[in-house]
Amino acid sequence: MTATQAKDRAVRLHFDRFRGDQIVQLLGNENAEGKYFAALRMNDQYVPLSEQIAAREAMNKLPTAEERQAAYKAMADKGMFTNNRLELGRGYDRSSFIKLKDEKGRSRIEISVQADGNPKLNFLDEAGKVVYSLPEENKAGKK
């Protein structure tokens, strides 16, 4: 196996918003083991790309990593970045999934069907913790 064969192979098609960036993405990736991922993503972008670029350039000029991290967090809290809102795809684990996300790009509802056919529906809080799941774990093992 050559070095190029060992690397992941990726395919991307992005559709940009007018004067913006990547509001629709078609993604595909295959790793060295032959496992692949494919997805359709839809994103929100509220701040013009030119404003995002200017803010990032200013942030990158800050003298310390801590200041850059704080500036990045402040930008994210203001909604200055493009955030993924919907992802529909096929995972490396052969599952199919739908992820619905809030305005900050945090998963809030995840629907999946595992490779073995088992369905799953998860509701998540802002921190990404599952607050409700179907089938409920304690019921899933009972017949």
Side-chain angles (χ1 to χ4, degrees), residues 91-103:
Y92 285 109
D93 62 358
R94 298 179 16 230
S95 65
S96 58
F97 62 85
I98 299 172
K99 296 180 182 180
L100 302 171
K101 302 178 180 188
D102 66 16
E103 195 169 63

Side-chain angles (χ1 to χ4, degrees), residues 15 33 51 61 78 81-82 87 89 95 105 107 115 119 121 129:
F15 296 89
E33 293 84 40
E51 194 175 320
K61 292 178 184 176
K78 290 180 186 176
F81 299 124
T82 301
E87 188 173 14
S95 65
S107 287
L121 173 60
K129 179 183 172 200

Side-chain angles (χ1 to χ4, degrees), residues 120 132-143:
K120 188 78 168 170
Y132 187 73
S133 187
L134 291 173
E136 294 179 60
E137 296 303 326
N138 60 353
K139 290 182 180 178
K142 296 180 181 178
K143 300 270 181 203

Side-chain angles (χ1 to χ4, degrees), residues 93-95 113-119:
D93 62 358
R94 298 179 16 230
S95 65
V113 177
Q114 301 305 307
D116 64 6
N118 286 319

Side-chain angles (χ1 to χ4, degrees), residues 67-86:
E67 288 175 298
R68 289 188 294 275
Q69 287 173 346
Y72 182 91
K73 184 179 180 329
M75 290 170 65
D77 289 345
K78 290 180 186 176
M80 292 192 70
F81 299 124
T82 301
N83 288 314
N84 177 245
R85 295 298 303 273
L86 169 68

